[in-house]
Amino acid sequence: MSPQAPRDASPFDPAQAEAGRVPTLVVLAGLFMLATTPFLGRLLQGQTDHLARNLLYAAATAVLLGQVWRGSVWAWRLTVGFSVAAGLLVFVVGMLAGVSNGQGWVISLAGLGFLVLGTCLVGVSSIRAFLDSRWGRRGGGGRA
């Protein structure tokens, strides 16, 4: 008989936790870039309408992703939920726009990007091991 693992023990290999540092950072940076690209693109074109709102949105996104990096389970859950919801919405809007405009296909690819990156936070074992180690160090010990 093998000894039972404690209830809070992670099913992920602790050796993978360090290997997940860079992929986690890449996924979080990718999510930030996807979320802020439309705003930055309009800003580069000289469109400054709604500047304060867009800066607030970018700052809130940075704070949320920073909390994921620090090991907040609630921020991770929100990020995964927002990524999937935004990905589906952006993909559908892009497909509808793609019927009459080639730019819609680019928008659809952005939606797929949100979906893939959000799924990586859940499905890539090295990322989950890294986040799990962060959650454990943060004192919650409880997994999502």
Side-chain angles (χ1 to χ4, degrees), residues 42-65:
R42 286 190 306 270
L43 192 61
L44 287 174
Q45 293 174 350
Q47 299 174 8
T48 57
D49 52 330
H50 307 292
L51 180 65
R53 181 187 60 160
N54 288 327
L55 285 174
L56 182 63
Y57 172 71
T61 301
V63 167
L64 180 66
L65 296 175

Side-chain angles (χ1 to χ4, degrees), residues 16-17 20-21 24 69 125-134:
Q16 286 185 335
R21 177 180 295 275
T24 304
W69 178 257
S125 61
S126 62
I127 292 175
R128 280 301 302 266
F130 175 75
L131 291 174
D132 213 31
S133 71
R134 293 284 192 153

